Amino acid sequence: MDLNFSPEHQAFRAEVKSFLTQALPDDIRQRTLRGEKLSKDDHIRWQRILAAKGWLGHCWKKEYGGTGWGPIERFIWDEEVHLAGAPRRNIPAIDLLGPLIIEYGTEEQKQRFLPPILRSEHWWCQGFSEPQAGSDLAALKMRAVRDGDHYVVNGTKMWTSYAQESNWIFCLVRTSQEQKKQAGISYLLIPMDQPGVTVSPIITVGGVHAVNQVTIEDVHVPVENRLGPEGEAWSMTQFLLSYERIVGAGLGASTRYLAEARAFARRTVRDGVPLARTPRLREKLAALEADLMALKYTAYRVLADEVAGKAEASVVSVVKLRGAQLQQAITELMSEEGGQLSWPDVLTLPEGEPVVPVDDEYHAQQAFDRRKLTIYGGSAEIQKNIIARRILRI
Ligand SMILES: Cc1cc2nc3c(=O)[nH]c(=O)nc-3n(C[C@H](O)[C@H](O)[C@H](O)COP(=O)(O)OP(=O)(O)OC[C@H]3O[C@@H](n4cnc5c(N)ncnc54)[C@H](O)[C@@H]3O)c2cc1C
């Protein structure tokens, strides 16, 4: 139910649905829905379709080639792309760096960096976390020492998503040592195809190569590649939060997973009875359905506050935490009900030779992969700290 969406926004949702039905290539849709990894070429193909429609920079201002959409359009878009099985785009470039450049970049930087993102020529990764700086991001150590019109950069970034496919990285670097550790941090935009930049793969528990370690040794970066004033990156990073308030709810993803779980329960028969008819599973599915509905209305409340300009930043933590937990609960349920599987079975799968039915493997892989949702973008424990301090005032 589209509770209180205006007729204009309902028309917009219909337009988005119809565009996704017509424009999303079927092979990409099928593989996304099956949880298969897409190639970078697939992503570029989809991004170029979006760019031709003018819908790639969905959180960018119109004058820079974006959609100029407000929070409600962005919310609807995010829900519908997940439901349709559209792949995610180069998120660090589109959702993070683009808005940062538009807000803080010089005119020269806007002309230089925004168009290649829309043409899918520049593929960016986000270099924030380091081996000793994750939750405590301000502890980062990557150093950028000014030498004339260059910075000389040294350090290691960790868990960098899709660095193996990127030709640029935007890094948080330490340009000076201040008493307050949040001070003295700057943004540098660094080309990756040069000596001194090394990308080493990290394979996660789902058997996926999505994250990497990126080592940067004595790399010279021109001063004109610094985004924003020197030492001011911390406050610039806080600005990004305003763009991801309720996207973390993952409503589209959870709705899709739950529909898959119901379909799976209907078609899987154990001891002559479809799983969907067993009281235990019905109870679990009903509980998840109720959780999804509660999350949806919470997200709507936050969205309404945001439109009214009075959304509390801390409420994002509630939505993100519950959204992540819900996706994990649904995929774990499917993995459990897939049966037969245990962790070691999955981890010792011979390469290219699945020893379990594809459905079960898929469910297990999804469940393992969803673990990341309570780690990145602020772990579950960090979100709980924020909720305790700023909402419950404990
Ligand atoms: C799949 C994936 C993709 C990622 N992609 C990127 C990327 O593209 N770019 C990037 O920069 N980073 C990326 N990250 C890194 C991510 O942001 C960090 O993993 C995250 O911030 C947690 O930091 P950490 O791994 O160093 O764990 P730590 O911060 O060391 O935390 C370890 C454990 O301690 C808990 N903990 C830490 N501090 C507290 C506290 N104060 N109170 C209570 N508990 C606490 C944490 O919740 C966690 O359970 C990615 C991570 C993953 C898993």
Side-chain angles (χ1 to χ4, degrees):
M1 178 171 48
D2 292 345
L3 186 77
N4 286 338
F5 278 104
S6 68
E8 291 76 25
H9 287 129
Q10 288 182 33
F12 173 74
R13 189 185 286 276
E15 187 190 354
V16 168
K17 270 186 199 291
S18 146
F19 168 74
L20 289 167
T21 307
Q22 287 161 21
L24 178 60
D26 202 47
D27 63 311
I28 293 184
R29 181 198 313 273
Q30 293 298 334
R31 278 182 290 143
T32 307
L33 290 175
R34 284 201 299 267
E36 287 174 21
K37 184 170 167 17
L38 298 174
S39 68
K40 185 176 168 185
D41 284 346
D42 292 327
H43 283 283
I44 290 179
R45 186 155 49 109
W46 176 228
Q47 285 209 164
R48 291 197 169 146
I49 293 170
L50 289 175
K53 171 82 174 161
W55 281 6
L56 181 57
H58 74 290
C59 48
W60 297 13
K61 290 179 184 159
K62 262 200 156 131
E63 60 207 276
Y64 298 110
T67 57
W69 289 342
I72 298 185
E73 285 87 356
R74 291 203 298 268
F75 179 87
I76 291 172
W77 171 252
D78 193 67
E79 207 174 4
E80 292 300 331
V81 285
H82 275 101
L83 286 171
R88 307 195 79 200
R89 305 135 298 123
N90 185 199
I91 304 285
I94 309 285
D95 291 5
L96 305 177
L97 184 66
L100 269 178
I101 292 179
I102 289 169
E103 188 72 15
Y104 296 101
T106 61
E107 209 40 52
E108 193 270 333
Q109 286 173 328
K110 289 173 188 169
Q111 299 310 324
R112 182 175 164 211
F113 290 113
L114 295 175
I117 293 177
L118 292 179
R119 291 196 300 265
S120 298
E121 289 165 5
H122 285 185
W123 208 262
W124 287 85
C125 58
Q126 174 194 5
F128 284 15
S129 308
E130 295 185 4
Q132 302 304 323
S135 304
D136 184 12
L137 187 58
L140 64 92
K141 291 197 170 64
M142 180 170 276
R143 290 196 68 203
V145 178
R146 182 84 181 248
D147 180 13
D149 57 0
H150 280 74
Y151 289 99
V152 182
V153 185
N154 278 285
T156 301
K157 292 294 172 184
M158 200 64 182
W159 312 119
T160 319
S161 295
Y162 299 105
Q164 77 272 25
E165 292 173 354
S166 302
N167 46 10
W168 284 82
I169 181 168
F170 60 105
C171 284
L172 286 176
V173 296
R174 191 160 287 291
T175 36
S176 67
Q177 202 68 45
E178 309 290 334
Q179 224 174 14
K180 191 169 173 235
K181 62 184 177 183
Q182 285 81 5
I185 300 175
S186 306
Y187 269 107
L188 278 190
L189 313 182
I190 306 178
M192 295 183 74
D193 47 1
Q194 60 173 317
V197 180
T198 310
V199 177
S200 313
I202 302 171
I203 308 299
T204 50
V205 68
V208 176
H209 175 199
V211 288
N212 303 273
Q213 175 174 306
V214 179
T215 314
I216 297 189
E217 282 173 297
D218 285 331
V219 167
H220 288 238
V221 180
V223 171
E224 71 239 28
N225 283 23
R226 192 191 67 228
L227 184 61
E230 190 173 277
E232 298 288 323
W234 199 254
S235 56
M236 292 163 64
T237 305
Q238 304 309 307
F239 152 86
L240 278 181
L241 278 179
S242 65
Y243 275 94
E244 31 173 87
R245 273 194 207 290
I246 39 183
V247 167
L251 286 177
S254 283
T255 307
R256 202 181 88 201
Y257 287 141
L258 203 49
E260 279 173 23
R262 274 193 245 101
F264 174 74
R266 277 196 299 274
R267 69 172 183 267
T268 308
V269 178
R270 295 267 156 77
D271 301 327
V273 182
L275 280 179
R277 301 273 292 277
T278 58
R280 195 182 54 84
L281 196 74
R282 286 165 69 105
E283 213 173 275
K284 285 188 177 178
L285 285 173
L288 290 171
E289 194 83 54
D291 282 347
L292 176 59
M293 219 179 273
L295 179 66
K296 188 168 178 170
Y297 293 123
T298 305
Y300 284 177
R301 264 197 352 247
V302 178
L303 184 60
D305 282 351
E306 191 166 334
V307 172
K310 54 179 186 157
E312 291 276 332
S314 48
V315 83
V316 180
S317 296
V318 177
V319 174
K320 173 169 191 278
L321 179 63
R322 291 301 294 140
Q325 288 172 335
L326 186 57
Q327 286 189 49
Q328 289 176 347
I330 301 170
T331 50
E332 274 164 26
L333 177 66
M334 283 201 281
S335 175
E336 277 166 29
E337 297 303 331
Q340 300 111 21
L341 278 184
S342 62
W343 287 63
D345 285 336
V346 176
L347 296 176
T348 56
L349 269 180
E351 211 164 296
E353 261 183 71
V355 292
V356 290
V358 167
D359 238 9
D360 291 354
E361 186 195 347
Y362 162 71
H363 290 147
Q365 196 271 336
Q366 290 291 307
F368 291 143
D369 190 58
R370 298 293 98 186
R371 303 308 309 161
K372 67 187 179 193
L373 296 181
T374 40
I375 301 174
Y376 65 36
S379 71
E381 290 75 17
I382 296 299
Q383 306 298 348
K384 285 178 187 168
N385 283 349
I386 295 171
I387 293 166
R389 282 198 209 109
R390 298 199 207 145
I391 300 180
L392 305 174
R393 309 216 183 268
I394 298 173

